[in-house]
Amino acid sequence: EEKIMQIVKPYAKMLDVETLEDGIELLRKIEFCGRISHRSEEAQTEYSWERFIRTVVLGHGDFSIVEHAFVTVDMLVDRGITHELVRHRLFSFTQESTRFVNYEKKMTPSFIVPEHFIGVGASDLWEDVINKSEENYRLLVSGGVSPQLARSILPNSLASRIIVTGNLRNWRHMLLMRTTKET
């Protein structure tokens, strides 16, 4: 039987902030919302957001006002990463479902090689395990087992698309928590 496994690269892209101007508009919105507390909306100018964000948000730590700005990110990551993401309950999530997607009929499953496996001899072992998992998944489904049950043998390296929406304060917190040096 021919190997069908697809190895893909992970990605993350913002859906609603595609240009620098989109990002600046988010910062202007934060400034406007923050100025309400001091009734200083008239002081907002085209470029006043720069000083406002630097002094009020970053300097004084008034991160509550960044909750008025939301960003949605489309990601393709491995299932292990999605398990970490959904722990951040204040976000909204829509994730590719291994319960409803039948990889035998609809598409070939894709996998993401763990970055730390590349170049240390572990990628060959990883590939063997992935090939066997995919082969066994296909055997189970073709033998009548539902995709919902057969998914249990798919590894965390299975690529999964997830859409995540959250305010900028939550994004800041999540990135601080999930980008530590721990491996």
Side-chain angles (χ1 to χ4, degrees):
E1 183 174 305
E2 177 184 328
K3 290 184 182 180
I4 306 173
M5 178 181 65
Q6 291 183 329
I7 297 175
V8 296
K9 295 217 178 276
Y11 68 78
K13 60 182 176 183
M14 290 187 280
L15 297 181
D16 36 14
V17 181
E18 296 179 10
T19 65
L20 178 60
E21 187 58 37
D22 294 338
I24 290 171
E25 283 306 310
L26 275 181
L27 297 174
R28 286 183 180 130
K29 179 181 182 181
I30 292 168
E31 178 192 8
F32 175 80
C33 295
R35 287 188 177 280
I36 296 297
S37 66
H38 292 91
R39 298 300 313 175
S40 64
E41 305 94 311
E42 73 283 347
Q44 188 170 11
T45 66
E46 185 177 356
Y47 299 105
S48 59
W49 62 269
E50 294 177 82
R51 183 174 180 275
F52 186 89
I53 297 296
R54 190 171 30 267
T55 58
V56 175
V57 177
L58 299 174
H60 293 113
D62 189 358
F63 287 100
S64 65
I65 59 176
V66 300
E67 293 174 11
H68 294 288
F70 286 80
V71 172
T72 299
V73 178
D74 174 4
M75 299 181 204
L76 182 70
V77 293
D78 72 40
R79 296 291 290 185
I81 298 296
T82 66
H83 296 328
E84 292 180 21
L85 287 170
V86 300
R87 302 284 298 156
H88 297 273
R89 293 177 181 93
L90 296 176
F91 286 90
S92 297
F93 303 97
T94 301
Q95 182 176 352
E96 177 181 321
S97 172
T98 57
R99 178 179 179 199
F100 298 113
V101 174
N102 180 339
Y103 295 103
E104 179 66 16
K105 290 183 181 177
K106 291 193 176 207
M107 60 188 294
T108 300
S110 300
F111 300 92
I112 296 173
V113 180
E115 185 178 308
H116 297 355
F117 285 16
I118 300 170
V120 295
S123 57
D124 289 341
L125 178 59
W126 174 86
E127 192 170 326
D128 289 342
V129 170
I130 296 302
N131 281 324
K132 193 65 174 166
S133 296
E134 181 180 358
E135 179 184 327
N136 287 333
Y137 173 85
R138 292 181 184 285
L139 286 170
L140 288 170
V141 172
S142 64
V145 174
S146 72
Q148 180 177 351
L149 296 175
R151 71 179 171 175
S152 67
I153 66 164
L154 293 172
N156 276 345
S157 290
L158 180 69
S160 183
R161 193 165 177 199
I162 187 168
I163 306 293
V164 183
T165 301
N167 68 51
L168 294 184
R169 185 177 193 173
N170 289 334
W171 278 109
R172 178 182 182 270
H173 174 74
M174 188 273 295
L175 290 169
L176 287 172
M177 298 296 294
R178 299 295 173 184
T179 57
T180 64
K181 298 286 183 200
E182 301 163 352
T183 54

